[in-house]
Amino acid sequence: MIRKTRIGQYLSFSSLVSLLLSLGILTIIWVSGLGVTAKESEGVLPPLQIHPLPSTLKNWHDPQNAGDYFSYLEESPVGSLIWSEFPIKIYWDQPANLVDNSASHQRFQQWVTEVEKAIAEWNSYLPLVEVKQEELGDIIIKRDNPPLGTTINPETGKLEIPRARSAQTSYKFYFKGDNPPVLSHQMIVLISPNLSQELILSAIRHELGHALGIWGHSPVETDALYFSQVRNPPPISVRDINTLKKVYQQPTRLGWTISQRSH
Ligand SMILES: [Zn+2]
């Protein structure tokens, strides 16, 4: 369903989005629905449309019929959280000083090695390219502790501070360009510097799955996107890629302009 829009509508919405993004609170505003829900915004956001499958996923066939966990994924206000411009630009933190022999530097260097391994694994399924400037990244991997995210318990009315998380992925929306503007997103992955060495690879592999579009978790322990940490973390599974392929076949508002029409 497509509604006609007046130009003034998306321009003002676009500047509102840029303002919120510069304040870093777009995600919060968006999900808490301060008057902007996907349905109400139908007129000011691009219509839901399907992008062509990237060739890496088009060529993916599962000979085992292992199935997927697509039905367990969460819905987003813009449809599927997928990338449509390839290669996907990815930035990750790296130590500034390369000639440092301290233990903390070595730990950082090991972290980088694990990040690069996880990126190489996913690169077989979706093309990724490194960018050295953080602001140019579609996906940004930071060696930082995720926020504790205090919540209010609805039953007791008391503040609750959950257990420290070791990794977290969140997204932001913005409009790219202005001729006309394209609804775009950025994924921010935080990996704790305190995470034990043997867990870094599986944590990044898991979070990258989210950043590439698998927004939710598998109920099966042998999938990389299983909801909990396991003793022997599995590699990316056939079911992970079956799910990823299905995600990329869904409609989205991302990567489309407001003036674009489906045919
Ligand atoms: Zn997760």
Side-chain angles (χ1 to χ4, degrees), residues 165 167-169 203 206-207 209-210 214-218 224-228:
R165 294 208 228 174
Q168 186 192 69
T169 300
H206 176 105
E207 298 303 321
H210 290 320
I214 306 176
W215 203 253
H217 291 112
S218 163
L225 274 289
Y226 182 58
F227 64 84
S228 168

Side-chain angles (χ1 to χ4, degrees), residues 104-118:
S104 69
H105 175 86
Q106 280 174 15
R107 274 177 60 84
F108 197 162
Q109 203 53 64
Q110 283 167 335
W111 182 91
V112 170
T113 304
E114 302 302 308
V115 169
E116 290 172 354
K117 274 188 215 164

Side-chain angles (χ1 to χ4, degrees), residues 95 97-107 109:
N97 184 356
L98 292 174
V99 283
D100 179 345
N101 285 318
S102 69
S104 69
H105 175 86
Q106 280 174 15
R107 274 177 60 84
Q109 203 53 64

Side-chain angles (χ1 to χ4, degrees), residues 1-48:
M1 187 179 61
I2 297 135
R3 258 184 251 160
K4 289 211 171 127
T5 43
R6 276 169 295 139
I7 284 173
Q9 267 181 308
Y10 75 74
L11 285 183
S12 58
F13 186 73
S14 157
S15 47
L16 171 69
V17 170
S18 327
L19 173 70
L20 293 175
L21 188 64
S22 66
L23 295 173
I25 54 171
L26 181 60
T27 314
I28 299 161
I29 297 278
W30 202 292
V31 296
S32 67
L34 241 181
V36 184
T37 65
K39 203 168 181 190
E40 288 166 34
S41 57
E42 197 81 41
V44 289
L45 290 178
L48 286 165

